[in-house]
Amino acid sequence: KKRFRTSNKTAKFCNTSCRTAFNNKARHVRRIANASTSPFFYELARQAIRARTVQIYHHFNQQELEALYDVYASCQRMNGYGLRRDHGGAPFELSHIAPVRGQDSIGLFRADNLVIAPMSLNRSHGSKHYSGGASIPLAELSARFTISKDASVSEVVQRVIQIIGGEVVQAVVQSRKI
């Protein structure tokens, strides 16, 4: 709140606390920017495009997002981070218990609705729903969350981050080192 005067012509901050506050704010923005280009958040966007709605992430909290990341990371490890497919091994996929586009509901992309299954088994399962899982009835879908199937992944990532909440995303990025 005072005029900034310094004896050093390259100084940008009046004191250490101002510099620290600025750097903390910049770090917050960088973490969310890094998250928005990570494979995990691209997968979140692809699943939202597949479901045609970001409502599958409505009311997500930190624990749910961390659990989802853990399942995603386990699947990546099981696939050898892409090397299994290159060597002819059967890749694994995240399989929905309640299907993504069921006849009367949309399956959520949450840890309690996913299992890691071999790709052939997941593909043969199709959109059949036997029981269990987490889903939203089609009647409860809101038009404001709708996404076009041709939507850009980077735009959908921003909508996903917005619906989950910047504070939750930052906490998960920091805790899981995304």
Side-chain angles (χ1 to χ4, degrees):
K1 304 234 179 183
K2 296 180 185 174
R3 187 173 177 155
F4 179 56
R5 293 187 182 178
T6 181
S7 58
N8 183 353
K9 67 180 182 179
T10 61
K12 294 181 181 177
F13 301 99
C14 58
N15 58 33
T16 306
S17 64
C18 287
R19 184 183 72 237
T20 304
F22 176 81
N23 288 335
N24 286 342
K25 188 173 185 179
R27 190 176 300 122
H28 171 77
V29 171
R30 274 195 314 270
R31 281 189 182 132
I32 291 185
N34 290 343
S36 67
T37 59
S38 72
F40 174 63
F41 278 88
Y42 271 40
E43 182 64 22
L44 294 180
R46 280 192 296 272
Q47 292 295 330
I49 291 169
R50 193 170 159 212
R52 307 277 197 282
T53 181
V54 291
Q55 194 169 351
I56 60 175
Y57 303 116
H58 200 56
H59 300 302
F60 250 50
N61 61 30
Q62 183 177 348
Q63 291 79 19
E64 289 172 333
L65 193 57
E66 286 173 345
L68 179 58
Y69 179 78
D70 292 342
V71 171
Y72 171 80
S74 295
C75 185
Q76 294 299 313
R77 269 193 306 281
M78 290 174 75
N79 282 326
Y81 301 100
L83 296 176
R84 180 181 280 276
R85 182 174 291 162
D86 296 340
H87 295 7
F92 294 94
E93 292 181 329
L94 294 174
S95 176
H96 286 77
I97 296 168
V100 176
R101 300 206 37 94
Q103 292 192 2
D104 55 353
S105 66
I106 299 285
L108 302 179
F109 193 62
R110 293 187 345 194
D112 61 350
N113 190 42
L114 296 172
V115 294
I116 299 173
M119 180 172 39
S120 58
L121 182 63
N122 184 34
R123 303 279 168 98
S124 68
H125 178 263
S127 62
K128 296 178 189 129
H129 183 226
Y130 299 104
S131 68
S135 63
I136 302 172
L138 291 176
E140 292 181 19
L141 290 177
S142 174
R144 69 185 176 118
F145 296 117
T146 303
I147 296 175
S148 152
K149 69 177 180 178
D150 301 325
S152 144
V153 173
S154 57
E155 291 174 5
V156 176
V157 166
Q158 296 307 317
R159 285 189 67 187
V160 167
I161 290 173
Q162 182 182 8
I163 197 167
I164 292 174
E167 298 81 26
V168 171
V169 169
Q170 181 176 354
V172 172
V173 166
Q174 191 170 1
S175 71
R176 293 301 189 253
K177 295 177 178 48
I178 299 175

